Amino acid sequence: MSDRLLGTAAHRAFIDHEFFKQVSSRNLSHAHVETFLGQWWHPLHYFPTFLARCISVLPDIESKSAITRILSQETGARSAKAAHEVIYADSMEKAGYDRRAVTGSVPFEETAALVAWYEQCSADRTSALGGIFATEVTDLLMVSAIGEAVKRESGTERNAWVDIHVQQEPDHVDQATSAVFSGLTAEQEQELLDSAEQMWRRWTAFFDRLAAETGMIAPAGRS
């Protein structure tokens, strides 16, 4: 099942995105990186709600426990100051970015569609698991890319938000994988696969927009 998920065209297209290829070499302005950060905030802020909704539709305690572990880490494991979104806002402000722009920017159309899919796919077990798996197996790639943009533009060598993902993400992937392989029918496996592909497509559209904002790719509708 894992091989099927990671072998899909949607996954391959996402991990080969131009944003990830160019972010470490392209000159980015302060405004560009601040735009990245302001758009990233929206799925970051919604993610704990997404996980909580997923837990509510998972039927077995093993899956609930696995995803609850991820949710606990995302929300700071008993300390709100250690929540990922708090670390994110604090660390980006320390790097020189306007906190209001980071946490209060209007979402792009693609960003809003991504968050809407997170809400939609958390409505039932199989689509929820597909959304969780698709996110967790590619999260470190995305975080590293955003972190690289911040590092190169701001000159900040260490970023607490990136560090916490390097520390916790392997466990998140393990927990997501454990939940996926909790006994599904062939039909349910296909539904999970479809959900994961939809998630990668929406993340691709998200990074298409970010890449277009900096000229990495042509805006949609242009050749």
Side-chain angles (χ1 to χ4, degrees):
M1 186 59 183
S2 179
D3 289 342
R4 288 179 65 196
L5 284 160
L6 299 180
T8 62
H11 177 256
R12 293 194 302 270
F14 178 65
I15 62 174
D16 288 336
H17 199 284
E18 279 299 313
F19 186 93
F20 306 133
K21 295 177 181 179
Q22 296 191 38
V23 74
S24 61
S25 59
R26 179 172 289 270
N27 290 327
L28 299 169
S29 69
H30 188 84
H32 284 151
V33 178
E34 204 162 73
T35 296
F36 298 165
L37 298 176
Q39 294 306 306
W40 184 272
W41 168 261
H42 295 285
L44 167 68
H45 180 60
Y46 186 74
F47 197 59
T49 300
F50 163 72
L51 291 174
R53 285 169 57 89
C54 291
I55 292 166
S56 73
V57 299
L58 295 176
D60 59 288
I61 193 61
E62 291 81 9
S63 294
K64 287 180 183 290
S65 178
I67 305 310
T68 296
R69 181 176 173 86
I70 300 175
L71 176 58
S72 176
Q73 292 180 344
E74 288 283 337
T75 55
R78 300 184 301 278
S79 173
K81 292 181 180 179
H84 286 202
E85 71 170 55
V86 175
I87 294 174
Y88 180 78
D90 289 346
S91 61
M92 299 314 171
E93 185 175 38
K94 289 178 182 177
Y97 300 98
D98 185 342
R99 194 181 190 96
R100 292 169 297 179
V102 171
T103 64
S105 295
V106 176
F108 292 151
E109 179 181 349
E110 296 84 355
T111 305
L114 172 64
V115 174
W117 176 249
Y118 271 109
E119 180 177 7
Q120 181 180 340
C121 79
S122 61
D124 67 76
R125 176 194 185 189
T126 52
S127 62
L129 290 174
I132 293 169
F133 183 86
T135 301
E136 295 298 354
V137 297
T138 52
D139 196 35
L140 194 54
L141 171 67
M142 296 188 284
V143 169
S144 297
I146 297 295
E148 179 66 16
V150 170
K151 177 181 176 180
R152 294 184 68 246
E153 194 283 319
S154 70
T156 304
E157 286 298 320
R158 295 292 299 272
N159 186 289
W161 174 68
V162 175
D163 289 347
I164 196 70
H165 280 81
V166 171
Q167 175 187 340
Q168 294 180 351
E169 201 57 45
D171 184 51
H172 289 194
V173 173
D174 286 346
Q175 298 304 321
T177 303
S178 175
V180 166
F181 299 124
S182 56
L184 299 175
T185 66
E187 181 179 2
Q188 289 172 325
E189 286 184 356
Q190 186 58 51
E191 291 172 355
L192 188 154
L193 187 70
D194 292 343
S195 175
E197 288 188 287
Q198 288 285 352
M199 184 63 77
W200 284 319
R201 291 190 186 101
R202 281 163 175 78
W203 272 114
T204 296
F206 175 88
F207 281 101
D208 280 349
R209 179 62 183 272
L210 296 191
E213 291 292 316
T214 55
M216 295 179 187
I217 62 173
R222 297 185 187 178
S223 58

